[in-house]
Amino acid sequence: MSKLHDEFRVALSVEQASSACRRAIAAIGWNAKEAGLDRIVPKIGVGVTRNPSKIEVLLHESGDQTVVRLNGSILGIGPLQKAHLKAEMNRLREQIEVAARAFADH
């Protein structure tokens, strides 16, 4: 199993960041398998295009910002699986950052 991690900050409270993350997941077209305030696990892909990767979104407050940590894993080992997981994680991170900026602007 290949595993990757990514961490970044958004200038939102945990509640706002959690909402932005759920919006980002929906914008990609995924559903949330688990959705708590500080932990979200999306179902990646839809229908028959669902893939074996898993991304867990963890949130924790740090001052006036929230740290967003993406823990990704995918079945199989090798550069193709790792590249696929990295692409999915980057896609999610970009959408979270867009949703967080939109949230902060309102």
Side-chain angles (χ1 to χ4, degrees), residues 9-51:
R9 294 174 180 264
V10 293
L12 300 172
S13 69
V14 169
E15 293 83 7
Q16 294 168 326
S18 183
S19 180
C21 288
R22 287 192 301 275
R23 288 181 192 176
I25 290 165
I28 293 172
W30 300 343
N31 293 314
K33 186 170 21 176
E34 296 176 38
L37 181 62
D38 60 355
R39 182 175 182 268
I40 303 166
V41 179
K43 287 183 187 175
I44 300 172
V46 291
V48 294
T49 62
R50 197 169 316 282
N51 63 50

Side-chain angles (χ1 to χ4, degrees), residues 54-74:
K54 176 184 176 185
I55 301 173
E56 176 186 48
V57 181
L58 299 175
L59 306 168
H60 72 271
E61 213 152 338
S62 176
D64 61 346
Q65 296 183 328
T66 296
V67 176
V68 181
R69 181 173 172 89
L70 304 179
N71 293 326
S73 62
I74 189 167

